[in-house]
């Protein structure tokens, strides 16, 4: 990676006439600023996108370059992509808004609100496709269920609307498979069973009812993930629902012990390489991170421990049930705050971020290594509630 701060001032070229410089450009940029802008763009294009906020403050020139569409063009020309984490964080009484995880100029990770994006509904179902986040349903401030769908373009930080769903949904489950977005449950009137599951055809841009039966009457869900092309959904009453998109129906009966799966599965989970990872604050399998492979029958329980995960911050165990996990380019990233949404203290509230690299060793055991622990967010206002986090490819 190019370390901009390592690039020397132009003290080494005494015979050169100093470049004309617009007022306000910082000194650090002097030598780089003498390069043609297209060349600087190509250099910046190779810097991971989470470092761009740090680069943008070097000088006005870098500020312009990092926000310019030409940079996006240069990145796509060079086929450079990055995995970037977006977290939907609420600060009651305000509705949740998107925050982005980036690296600040001193190298530590930070979570920053994306001010150019509008506030989001409460309790939407969220999926990502490439550089886009689909925010599906949820409720407005007065608690009304929504059928609207908003697509966030993470390259430009702009939004567009999709056709509305056939029914309004709050805390629904959603997953992408077969060129469609499947959305399940969360309906206000659970007896409208014919629309309990519907899907959005990405090519034709239309919603299609699937006529599936209702399999949970509790309304919303705790969490959901797509594992090996099936949508796994955890109900509020610890019920398990597995939707098979190819057949267009819910699976009844699974090969493994479903109560063993739902017993330890909680809202802090994600999928890496088609395996479901979950944070278990109680360490019931002897380790804090556990993993589930639906194709593996395991005698001693469906969850297997991920070995070697040491050095997690204690807050992750204390507030682990409110933590959120995501797959960022094959690594597990977990966000956790040091205050519960269920009781509000005064004082400072922090959010920590933990990065864990994964490795499959001989014999199939999975090992994890904690790569970083950072305080990424601080506030003394209302408790931040991390609704979920998702990764986009930009
Ligand atoms: C990095 O900078 C932030 C302010 O931008 C500061 O709060 C933090 O303590 C710094 N971290 C390190 C490791 O110096
Ligand atoms: C399924 O898992 C639960 C919880 O771990 C356990 O109590 C039960 O005995 C298991 N059932 C079978 C058939 O293995
Ligand atoms: C959260 O953690 C910070 C840093 O350890 C601490 O100063 C603050 O008091 C904590 N807040 C709560 C509510 O525990």
């Amino acid at each position: 990676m190019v370390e901009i701060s390592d690039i020397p001032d132009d003290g080494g070229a005494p015979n050169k006439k100093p470049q004309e410089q617009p007022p306000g450009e910082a000194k650090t940029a002097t030598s780089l600023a003498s390069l043609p802008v297209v060349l600087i763009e190509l250099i910046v294009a190779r810097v991971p996108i989470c470092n761009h906020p740090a680069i943008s403050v070097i000088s006005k020139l870098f500020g312009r370059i990092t926000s310019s569409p030409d940079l996006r063009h240069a990145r796509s020309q060079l086929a450079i992509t990055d995995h970037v984490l977006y977290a939907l964080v609420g600060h009651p009484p305000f509705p949740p808004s998107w925050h982005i995880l980036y690296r600040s100029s001193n190298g530590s990770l930070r979570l920053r609100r994306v001010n150019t994006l509008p506030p989001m509904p409460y309790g939407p179902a969220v999926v990502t496709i490439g550089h886009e986040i689909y925010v599906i349903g949820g409720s407005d401030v007065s608690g009304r269920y929504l059928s609207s769908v908003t697509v966030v373009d993470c390259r430009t930080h702009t939004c567009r609307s999709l056709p509305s769903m056939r029914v309004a949904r709050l805390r629904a489950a959603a997953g992408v498979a077969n060129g469609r977005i499947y959305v399940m449950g969360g309906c206000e009137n659970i007896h409208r069973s014919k629309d309990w599951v519907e899907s959005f055809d990405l090519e034709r841009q239309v919603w299609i009812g699937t006529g599936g039966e209702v399999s949970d009457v509790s309304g919303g869900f705790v969490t959901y993930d797509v594992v090996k092309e099936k949508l796994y959904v955890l109900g509020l009453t610890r019920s398990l629902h597995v939707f098979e998109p190819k057949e267009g129906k819910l699976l009844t009966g699974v090969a493994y012990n479903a109560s063993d799966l739902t017993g330890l599965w909680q809202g802090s989970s994600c999928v890496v390489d088609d395996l479901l990872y979950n944070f278990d604050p109680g360490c019931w399998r002897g380790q804090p991170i556990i993993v589930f492979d639906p194709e593996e029958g395991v005698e001693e329980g469906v969850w297997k421990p991920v070995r070697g995960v040491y050095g997690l911050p204690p807050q992750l165990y204390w507030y682990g049930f409110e933590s959120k996990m995501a797959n960022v380019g094959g690594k597990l990233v977990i966000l956790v705050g040091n205050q519960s949404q269920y009781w509000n203290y005064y004082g400072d509230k922090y959010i920590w971020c933990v990065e864990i690299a994964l490795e499959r060793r001989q014999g199939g055991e999975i090992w994890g290594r904690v790569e970083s622990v950072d305080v990424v967010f601080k506030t003394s206002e209302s408790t931040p509630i991390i609704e979920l986090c998702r990764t986009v490819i930009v």
Side-chain angles (χ1 to χ4, degrees):
M1 198 195 96
V2 183
E3 285 289 345
I4 300 289
S5 56
D6 289 348
I7 296 169
D9 288 348
D10 56 356
N15 299 333
K16 253 174 96 186
K17 213 175 138 228
Q19 274 264 319
E20 274 273 309
Q21 219 184 57
E25 296 285 43
K27 191 162 176 272
T28 348
T30 315
S31 62
L32 267 182
S34 62
L35 294 173
V37 171
V38 277
L39 210 52
I40 306 178
E41 261 165 24
L42 289 179
I43 296 171
V44 175
R46 292 178 184 278
V47 178
I49 211 147
C50 70
N51 293 322
H52 286 192
I55 290 176
S56 69
V57 297
I58 294 174
S59 72
K60 283 185 180 159
L61 173 67
F62 282 95
R64 277 199 301 277
I65 287 177
T66 49
S67 60
S68 140
D70 295 341
L71 184 65
R72 284 199 298 280
H73 183 69
R75 284 171 54 84
S76 71
Q77 289 265 301
L78 295 166
I80 293 170
T81 55
D82 269 318
H83 296 251
V84 181
L85 184 95
Y86 282 74
L88 192 57
V89 183
H91 301 275
F94 305 105
S97 52
W98 287 110
H99 290 59
I100 186 169
L101 188 69
Y102 73 100
R103 216 167 270 286
S104 69
S105 43
N106 63 12
S108 58
L109 289 170
R110 286 277 171 281
L111 197 61
R112 186 179 70 174
R113 193 185 153 176
V114 183
N115 288 316
T116 46
L117 287 173
M120 293 288 133
Y122 296 93
V126 176
V127 297
T128 63
I129 302 175
H131 64 279
E132 292 186 320
I133 305 177
Y134 289 71
V135 182
I136 302 163
S139 75
D140 64 13
V141 280
S142 56
R144 203 162 51 94
Y145 282 48
L146 300 173
S147 58
S148 53
V149 183
T150 301
V151 184
V152 178
D153 183 327
C154 295
R155 287 184 181 155
T156 54
H157 283 159
T158 53
C159 292
R160 66 186 158 92
S161 297
L162 232 53
S164 290
M165 293 181 286
R166 299 158 146 246
V167 281
R169 300 171 191 271
L170 172 63
R171 302 209 177 278
V176 182
N178 267 351
R180 289 191 190 182
I181 301 171
Y182 290 86
V183 187
M184 183 194 283
C187 314
E188 198 163 20
N189 179 358
I190 54 110
H191 302 293
R192 283 191 59 181
S193 63
K194 86 178 167 45
D195 290 320
W196 199 73
V197 181
E198 61 184 312
S199 69
F200 185 71
D201 186 321
L202 288 161
E203 201 181 320
R204 290 160 50 208
Q205 298 277 303
V206 287
W207 286 99
I208 302 160
T210 58
E213 70 273 47
V214 172
S215 97
D216 193 290
V217 291
S218 64
F221 298 115
V222 178
T223 194
Y224 45 87
D225 282 288
V226 174
V227 193
K228 302 200 167 158
E229 306 204 316
K230 294 190 182 79
L231 177 59
Y232 285 72
V233 181
L234 176 64
L236 288 169
T237 53
R238 301 228 147 258
S239 49
L240 176 70
H241 316 274
V242 184
F243 185 77
E244 160 70 274
K246 284 205 187 85
E247 308 272 320
K249 61 181 189 214
L250 287 154
L251 288 184
T252 50
V254 283
Y256 39 80
N257 185 341
S259 67
D260 198 28
L261 174 61
T262 60
L264 294 183
W265 189 13
Q266 54 127 342
S268 192
S269 65
C270 71
V271 174
V272 181
D273 285 339
D274 260 344
L275 302 178
L276 182 67
Y277 288 83
N278 181 62
F279 179 69
D280 173 25
C283 297
W284 287 95
R285 293 285 179 271
Q287 297 288 333
I289 309 284
I290 48 179
V291 57
F292 162 68
D293 182 348
E295 280 168 13
E296 225 171 85
V298 182
E299 313 252 306
E300 62 275 23
V302 304
W303 291 104
K304 287 196 295 183
V306 173
R307 309 208 175 267
V309 179
Y310 305 110
L312 296 176
Q315 291 77 14
L316 192 48
Y317 296 97
W318 300 336
Y319 299 98
F321 288 113
E322 292 174 63
S323 69
K324 290 289 177 281
M325 187 191 275
N327 165 4
V328 182
K331 285 180 195 172
L332 302 179
V333 170
I334 311 174
L335 295 180
V336 68
N338 69 337
Q339 199 172 51
S340 171
Q341 58 178 295
Y342 301 110
W343 57 86
N344 202 9
Y345 291 110
Y346 291 109
D348 293 335
K349 295 106 190 178
Y350 287 26
I351 293 176
W352 278 261
C353 173
V354 181
E355 275 183 303
I356 302 169
L358 298 170
E359 180 198 348
R360 188 186 276 272
R361 296 203 178 159
Q362 265 188 347
E365 269 190 353
I366 296 172
W367 286 64
R369 182 168 44 84
V370 175
E371 286 200 326
S372 73
V373 176
D374 284 286
V375 170
V376 292
F377 193 86
K378 292 178 194 172
T379 183
S380 53
E381 285 160 27
S382 73
T383 301
I385 296 168
I386 311 164
E387 293 239 355
L388 49 86
C389 45
R390 295 285 186 270
T391 303
V392 293
I393 301 171
V394 288

